[in-house]
Amino acid sequence: MQFDAVGFIFNSLVLLFFTMTLGNLFGDIKFRKFNFGITGTLFIGLFVGYFLTKYAVTIPEGSKHISKAQNILKGNIIDNSIMNLSLLIFIVGTGLLAAKDMKYAITKFGKQFVMIAIFIPFVGAVASYGFSQIFSKMSPYQITGTYTGALTSSAGLAAATESSEAESRQLANEFQDLSEGTKTKILAIINNAKERDAKLKNEAIPEKMTLENTTTLSAEDTEIYVTEAKAGVGVGHSIGYPFGVLFLILGINFIPKIFRFDVEKEKEKYFAQKKIDLSNDKDAGKNTIKEVKMDFVGFSIAAFLGYFLGSIKIAMGPLGTFSLGSIGGAIIVALILGFIGKIGPVTFRMDSIVLGKMRTYFLSIFLAGTGLNYGFRVVEAVTGDGIMIAVVSALVAILSVLFGFLLGHYVFHINWTLLSGAITGGMTSAPGLGAAIDALDCDEPAVSYGATQPLATLCMVIFSIIIHKLPI
């Protein structure tokens, strides 16, 4: 009998279930009155992912496991298809659960949700661009890349990548007409790239380009600069994403403690007011649809239509194209179908316990996978050269969450039960929504998430493009 220990350790499903087991056990540990809950899987995933990557480096070239080890080193520990599926199932289940309360929440706070959906991405954009100007010696593209990462927006990343390519190429072509400060930043990016590549190939480091010896950029230097600009956005996003998730989750859990209000009392106040408002609503309680334990046809239809809606690209002229993405499409479709309740023999109102358990389990898969895939980058960023990118990512996330909370709580007076979901929607973060639902132990945050996330996604795309049209 033989047992391939290395193959077993490198198996993505083994790693996933191991991380979920430890993560859920860790999440149940009480730190006084606080526990991490389902987000414990994210923190354990970061820990396991880091040490797994350190081990993968030791696998020799001739080993039969070298291909898997190389995937691990690239951060491809858990396949994207598993990650996308788990997040889609989580968001569809969440939307179907929250749909019956959608009319009340949007009627009461619809305009406020619109303002929050615009304001949070705006704060993040201003913060990330501001930091790119403050830290002038760092790559401005890496810093602005933290914007889409800290606000966990893949749609924003796509727009930022496309915009950075076009704008960096234009800057390179107009090099001779630029200010000395802008030229210095461009040359620093090219020089750093050439030095890095020379060291990697054990070649002599080429002479540095300076303002004195460089009047225009060659075609080769232009391509280096454009490539580094696009790559910089990706690096900033990759480092920023896990920090955005981390600090949003921490914010959802610690904002009530920092600003000294009781979550349970907020919930009691919300549901009491809701009961009064609904009692005065003549249409409330009409056309009540009976729930079923589970309708897999209904669930699958919601997932399919949500994915379809998210795939549609809308042309926005000079701003390129915009799409909701699978998560934006899924939350909208699930809320609509859940609100309708039933179409022919297909039911979209399902047992809250069944949907709740299903949703939580698949969120656990996503968070564990996120931790495993990003674990090494996060630890290296905190302990190595990426520390400032990590700090900027954290600050962008913190400022976005904080100002979103201040606007919603002190200006609009939205109850935390809904405001927590509106903030996660403004951050376009499904993992953050999971943390809000887990922390409040109710589904109400999903309604406000669904009300803010689509518009916030559109704002992320627009602001990502604008950022790269501003001076670097």
Side-chain angles (χ1 to χ4, degrees), residues 303-357:
F304 170 76
L305 292 179
Y307 199 89
F308 173 75
L309 177 62
S311 301
I312 296 173
K313 294 187 182 297
I314 303 168
M316 299 194 303
L319 295 179
T321 60
F322 162 74
S323 66
L324 288 168
S326 59
I327 303 309
I331 191 68
I332 291 175
V333 169
L335 285 170
I336 292 172
L337 292 179
F339 180 74
I340 294 170
K342 190 172 184 178
I343 300 177
V346 181
T347 302
F348 300 101
R349 294 277 176 88
M350 303 170 206
D351 185 85
S352 58
I353 295 176
V354 175
L355 271 185
K357 295 292 184 184

Side-chain angles (χ1 to χ4, degrees), residues 89-90 92-98 100 291-297 299 347-363 443:
I89 291 176
F90 160 73
V92 170
T94 298
L96 293 176
L97 272 173
K100 58 182 179 294
E291 289 184 352
V292 297
K293 277 290 181 184
M294 187 67 193
D295 190 323
F296 288 109
V297 174
F299 194 98
T347 302
F348 300 101
R349 294 277 176 88
M350 303 170 206
D351 185 85
S352 58
I353 295 176
V354 175
L355 271 185
K357 295 292 184 184
M358 184 176 175
R359 175 191 66 189
T360 302
Y361 188 76
F362 279 93
L363 177 62
D443 296 306

Side-chain angles (χ1 to χ4, degrees), residues 398-467:
I398 290 169
L399 290 171
S400 301
V401 172
L402 178 61
F403 279 93
F405 168 76
L406 294 175
L407 177 69
H409 187 74
Y410 292 106
V411 179
F412 295 149
H413 306 293
I414 302 174
N415 188 285
W416 179 244
T417 310
L418 287 177
L419 181 55
S420 59
I423 291 172
T424 63
M427 296 283 285
T428 70
S429 176
L433 171 61
I437 291 171
D438 192 49
L440 277 91
D441 194 26
C442 69
D443 296 306
E444 306 292 319
V447 177
S448 45
Y449 176 92
T452 53
Q453 193 269 358
L455 179 57
T457 300
L458 175 60
C459 290
M460 284 286 301
V461 169
I462 294 172
F463 293 147
S464 295
I465 294 169
I466 291 173
I467 281 176

Side-chain angles (χ1 to χ4, degrees), residues 1-11 14 55 64-65:
M1 181 178 177
Q2 292 183 336
F3 176 68
D4 185 356
V6 176
F8 183 77
I9 292 171
F10 281 176
N11 186 290
V14 170
Y55 176 65
K64 64 179 181 179
H65 300 296

Side-chain angles (χ1 to χ4, degrees), residues 118-135:
I118 297 171
F119 185 67
I120 290 178
F122 175 74
V123 170
V126 171
S128 60
Y129 181 73
F131 286 128
S132 75
Q133 298 301 299
I134 293 170
F135 300 113

